[in-house]
Amino acid sequence: MTTDWDNIILLSADALRADHLSCHGYHRETSPVLDDLASDSLHFTNAYSASSHTREAVPALLTGEYPDTAIDAKYRLATDTVAKTLSEEGFATAGFHSNPFVSRAYGFDQGFDEFDDDLHFGKHKVIALAQRALDKLRNRHYARAEEINERSLEWLDSLDGDEPFFLWNHYMDTHGPYEPPGEYATLYTDETVSGRNAQSLYQRAIKDPDSITDDERQLLIDLYDAEIRYNDKRIGEFLDALRERGLLENSLLVFTADHGDAFGEHDYYEHPRYLHDEITHVPLIVRQPNGESGVVETPASTLDVVSTIESAFGGESEFSLVDPVTDTDRRVFSQARGENEDSHLRRYAVRTAEDVCFCERDRESGEIEFTDSSNLELQSELREHVKARVAVENGESEGDDEDVDEEIERRLEALGYK
């Protein structure tokens, strides 16, 4: 396969559900930049994440493998990433983000020449302690989009002019707690919410969803939408910076999300280990230098990102995001491990453009139970898919995560993971 792109840029947003973007028909104009990008690109309107939460969704996005093989039982990376593949092909590789679950602590720096996860490993102890103190003082849980842009552009500017590159920017702004900065804080609401109050409301929504009133639910949505608009603006600034450097026109650019966020549609908030549309239906926009554009209704998966890239270097891809076939009957699968009292469960879903089927497998008994579907054909296909996945699952043993940095623990708690 020959390509007309020299570089590959993967932009992903954490917890960004597709149906809250105006290019997906949302009633608010939350995403003018992404709307314009979608109109000039291949816009996949039926794209789904391979999982519903970062610990499984990002590994799938970066490896092109289902989570059951991409990571081990302790959520450490267990499969080569696309960065490693491209590094071996002569690409400079870099990743910039601030989600602790896909940090160096879990092996995700593999294959990257430059990997900035906004943590303090390897820094001088005094500097690290000072940074932690400052982060706590200003209630900082992640690097804002401006920081991610600045760091990644600095890296791009350090490269030799003809050196091909792979760049992954992962933006955390749309992840809770929803704290839109500056003027965005009151973009969709007249209520002024302090950062700590926003965090408290978000945590309560996760832990006690029944306590959330209609007004509080709407406030959460208003703040979330404002974060989307803020992030959209910063993505636009990054795209402008690429254009100024002459890098956009010869690059393959992919924009997507690792998963979405829920607002009580199925009696939960945030993104627990379920597979409903609100937490698996994600945006997927693919811009090529050849300018090919259009709406693609064929179901797509975040797994297709890596397989499409690697197919340019001899890998196999049963579905190409740069040359998609029309097949609204295509099957797309997702999976998620249960947690806490449901840790013995594995959840699976299969989707076509018109239907969806869910099931749960009990690892202790091996029994499979179907939920929310009467489509017998999809049930049969999902059952066979589950059997195939069980046969290759990476690491059947359960265990606690390894001890990780104190800063990771603090940020995970602030982000609603603890």
Side-chain angles (χ1 to χ4, degrees), residues 333-372:
F333 297 90
S334 302
Q335 63 181 233
R337 306 179 187 183
E339 60 183 337
N340 301 328
E341 67 271 13
D342 292 332
S343 61
H344 62 291
L345 295 177
R346 296 292 181 267
R347 296 187 173 100
Y348 301 86
V350 57
R351 284 179 170 84
T352 67
E354 304 295 334
D355 207 351
V356 61
C357 179
F358 301 95
C359 78
E360 293 182 345
R361 174 181 176 267
D362 189 316
R363 294 182 69 217
E364 296 173 353
S365 68
E367 294 182 0
I368 297 174
E369 178 182 356
F370 290 90
T371 58
D372 301 333

Side-chain angles (χ1 to χ4, degrees), residues 232-408:
D232 183 80
K233 173 74 171 179
R234 302 311 171 204
I235 290 170
E237 292 172 352
F238 184 71
L239 296 179
D240 287 343
L242 293 177
R243 291 187 184 97
E244 292 169 2
R245 289 163 171 78
L247 295 175
L248 189 59
E249 293 312 311
N250 62 346
S251 299
L252 174 69
L253 175 77
V254 177
F255 176 82
T256 189
D258 60 346
H259 54 76
D261 248 5
F263 292 94
E265 294 89 345
H266 287 88
D267 301 321
Y268 58 79
Y269 288 75
E270 198 227 12
H271 41 273
R273 313 302 178 85
Y274 297 98
L275 297 170
H276 300 112
D277 277 15
E278 57 267 27
I279 49 177
T280 56
H281 186 201
V282 295
L284 180 58
I285 301 170
V286 179
R287 185 189 187 280
Q288 304 177 72
N290 64 19
E292 185 175 357
S293 62
V295 173
V296 183
E297 296 182 353
T298 300
S301 168
T302 52
L303 296 175
D304 296 324
V305 174
V306 168
S307 64
T308 296
I309 293 170
E310 292 187 342
S311 68
F313 305 97
E316 295 184 2
S317 176
E318 58 95 9
F319 180 77
S320 173
L321 296 177
V322 296
D323 187 22
V325 297
T326 300
D327 179 12
T328 55
D329 201 41
R330 186 188 184 218
R331 271 59 169 156
V332 168
F333 297 90
S334 302
Q335 63 181 233
R337 306 179 187 183
E339 60 183 337
N340 301 328
E341 67 271 13
D342 292 332
S343 61
H344 62 291
L345 295 177
R346 296 292 181 267
R347 296 187 173 100
Y348 301 86
V350 57
R351 284 179 170 84
T352 67
E354 304 295 334
D355 207 351
V356 61
C357 179
F358 301 95
C359 78
E360 293 182 345
R361 174 181 176 267
D362 189 316
R363 294 182 69 217
E364 296 173 353
S365 68
E367 294 182 0
I368 297 174
E369 178 182 356
F370 290 90
T371 58
D372 301 333
S373 176
S374 58
N375 187 320
L376 297 182
E377 180 182 357
L378 285 186
Q379 285 188 15
S380 177
E381 293 181 15
L382 186 55
R383 185 183 294 275
E384 290 304 310
H385 174 79
V386 171
K387 289 180 180 178
R389 299 318 309 168
V390 169
V392 299
E393 185 171 352
N394 193 338
E396 289 285 59
S397 63
E398 297 291 341
D400 295 331
D401 294 335
E402 296 179 0
D403 291 339
V404 294
D405 186 81
E406 173 190 338
E407 174 68 359
I408 292 181

